[in-house]
């Protein structure tokens, strides 16, 4: 859902850059709903006894939408629009003495152990 919303926000930013932020947010919300409906449509084709495939399909679909968003963001020079990885633990650098922790939402926090 968040990747679909980011794709919608990117597209409306590219196609209609002068629109107010509320209009862009509405387009992003519509893209989020469309992404959710796409996920539900794909899930209907999964047999009911294979419930472990549901989260895997969601992760794969999210990755595909995020890759498309990243492609168009970099293609049009909007690299800051590219979605950050949200799966897995935050990264920690192996440098001794300082640990650089990069949470996906807040940017970078540098702490001393």
């Amino acid at each position: 859902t968040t990747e679909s919303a980011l794709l919608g926000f990117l597209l409306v930013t590219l196609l209609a850059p002068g629109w107010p932020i509320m209009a862009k947010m509405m387009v992003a919300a519509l893209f989020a709903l469309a992404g959710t409906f796409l996920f539900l449509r794909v899930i209907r084709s999964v047999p009911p006894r294979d419930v472990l495939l549901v989260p895997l399909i969601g992760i794969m679909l999210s990755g595909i939408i995020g890759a498309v968003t990243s492609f168009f963001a970099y293609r049009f020079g909007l690299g800051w629009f590219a979605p950050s990885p949200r799966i897995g633990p935050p990264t920690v650098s192996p440098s001794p003495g300082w640990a650089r922790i990069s949470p996906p939402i807040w940017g970078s926090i540098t702490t001393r152990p």
Side-chain angles (χ1 to χ4, degrees), residues 13-83:
T13 299
L14 290 173
L15 299 176
W19 280 13
I21 192 69
M22 287 302 291
K24 291 180 182 181
M25 287 172 43
M26 292 300 293
V27 171
L30 291 175
F31 268 77
L33 284 173
T36 302
F37 289 133
L38 175 66
F39 173 69
L40 292 176
R41 185 162 183 119
V42 170
I43 290 302
R44 282 189 196 174
S45 65
V46 176
R49 62 183 177 275
D50 291 335
V51 294
L52 292 177
L53 289 178
V54 174
L56 294 176
I57 291 172
I59 291 170
M60 289 172 44
L61 183 62
S62 171
I64 292 169
I65 294 171
V68 169
T69 304
S70 295
F71 173 77
F72 285 114
Y74 286 122
R75 181 80 167 105
F76 291 101
L78 298 172
W80 54 271
F81 239 106

Side-chain angles (χ1 to χ4, degrees), residues 1-3 5-6 14 16 18 20 32 37 66 68 70-71 74 79-80 90-95 97 103-104 108 110:
T1 302
T2 56
E3 279 79 8
L6 189 60
L14 290 173
F37 289 133
V68 169
S70 295
F71 173 77
Y74 286 122
W80 54 271
T91 58
V92 177
S93 69
S95 63
S108 297
T110 306

